[in-house]
């Protein structure tokens, strides 16, 4: 939930900021080889179990969904994506974040740091199209993100990547990513 709140807060900051669309690319960022077990695409997602319908029975959408994804290449290239959608039955708000960069793993602390080199933010408001935006991330928005991780296999044989903002802290909400393809 904290990640979803953080994402919505980021959407508001991004939506309210105006900047030129000169794409910023940070040239050299740290990288390391990605552990074989984590190479690939990982997806975390949530959605509401309820739905909106109009008075005439037409489907109007799901009230909330949120997805985050990582893609790790063996050579340390990495991408991060986040999609947040909210719908009140009349209006839909969508936010999309994309960062491309590198990742550096630290086996000692069981952590990795994602170093975004470039990024993009898009927002869509069905009831206020004048607020729609599509812009490059600024240099100030391209900050490294450190996450602590562990992996496990559930009782069905499904592999999971578990990330936290703190090291093995049970009070820090975990995010669970499963392998995926797109």
């Amino acid at each position: 939930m904290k990640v979803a709140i953080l994402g919505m807060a980021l959407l508001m900051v991004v939506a309210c900021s105006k900047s030129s669309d000169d794409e910023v690319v940070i040239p050299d960022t740290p990288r390391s080889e990605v552990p074989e077990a984590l190479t690939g695409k990982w997806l975390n997602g949530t959605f509401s179990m309820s739905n909106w319908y109009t008075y005439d029975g037409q489907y109007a959408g799901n009230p909330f969904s949120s997805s985050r994804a990582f893609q790790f290449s063996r050579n340390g290239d990495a991408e991060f994506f986040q999609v947040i959608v909210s719908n009140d039955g009349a209006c839909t708000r969508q936010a999309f974040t994309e960062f491309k960069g590198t990742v550096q793993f630290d086996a000692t602390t069981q952590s990795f740091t994602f170093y975004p080199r470039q990024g993009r933010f898009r927002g869509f408001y069905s009831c206020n199209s004048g607020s729609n935006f599509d812009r490059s991330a600024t240099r100030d928005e391209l900050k490294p993100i450190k996450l602590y991780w562990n992996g496990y296999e559930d009782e069905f044989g499904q592999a999971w990547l578990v990330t936290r903002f703190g090291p093995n802290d049970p009070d820090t909400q975990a995010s669970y990513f499963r392998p995926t393809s797109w």
Side-chain angles (χ1 to χ4, degrees):
M1 188 63 175
K2 288 181 185 179
V3 174
I5 292 169
L6 177 66
M8 289 304 281
L10 178 61
L11 171 64
M12 293 302 157
V13 169
V14 170
C16 295
S17 65
K18 300 289 182 192
S19 66
S20 68
D21 198 32
D22 295 334
E23 184 176 38
V24 174
V25 178
I26 297 174
D28 295 315
T29 53
R31 72 172 64 226
S32 68
E33 189 172 277
V34 173
E36 184 69 36
L38 298 182
T39 300
K41 299 172 182 172
W42 296 88
L43 177 68
N44 164 284
T46 61
F47 64 93
S48 173
M49 294 298 289
S50 57
N51 288 293
W52 290 106
Y53 290 88
T54 63
Y55 288 111
D56 64 356
Q58 297 294 313
Y59 178 67
N62 188 277
F64 180 80
S65 63
S66 172
S67 294
R68 286 167 299 287
F70 282 105
Q71 179 174 339
F72 299 121
S73 297
R74 188 83 167 129
N75 69 355
D77 286 338
E79 294 182 69
F80 171 80
F81 306 92
Q82 178 170 273
V83 177
I84 300 172
V85 179
S86 67
N87 180 348
D88 63 14
C91 299
T92 300
R93 290 153 301 281
Q94 300 174 354
F96 179 72
T97 301
E98 174 185 22
F99 289 122
K100 294 179 181 183
T102 59
V103 65
Q104 186 172 43
F105 280 82
D106 183 340
T108 305
T109 61
Q110 192 75 17
S111 66
F112 66 85
T113 303
F114 175 64
Y115 294 91
R117 297 183 62 225
Q118 64 190 75
R120 187 144 210 90
F121 299 105
R122 291 191 305 246
F124 169 78
Y125 304 88
S126 68
C127 292
N128 187 8
S129 62
S131 294
N132 293 351
F133 62 91
D134 181 358
R135 69 169 184 80
S136 295
T138 66
R139 183 170 294 281
D140 288 340
E141 294 164 332
L142 298 173
K143 300 288 185 200
I145 301 165
K146 184 174 185 173
L147 294 171
Y148 296 84
W149 70 275
N150 66 289
Y152 84 96
E153 188 173 297
D154 65 20
E155 66 270 17
F156 303 106
Q158 173 68 58
W160 292 91
L161 166 63
V162 183
T163 64
R164 289 184 167 78
F165 288 107
N168 297 322
D169 181 358
D171 294 329
T172 302
Q173 183 177 355
S175 293
Y176 293 79
F177 292 81
R178 63 178 168 74
T180 191
S181 61
W182 60 73

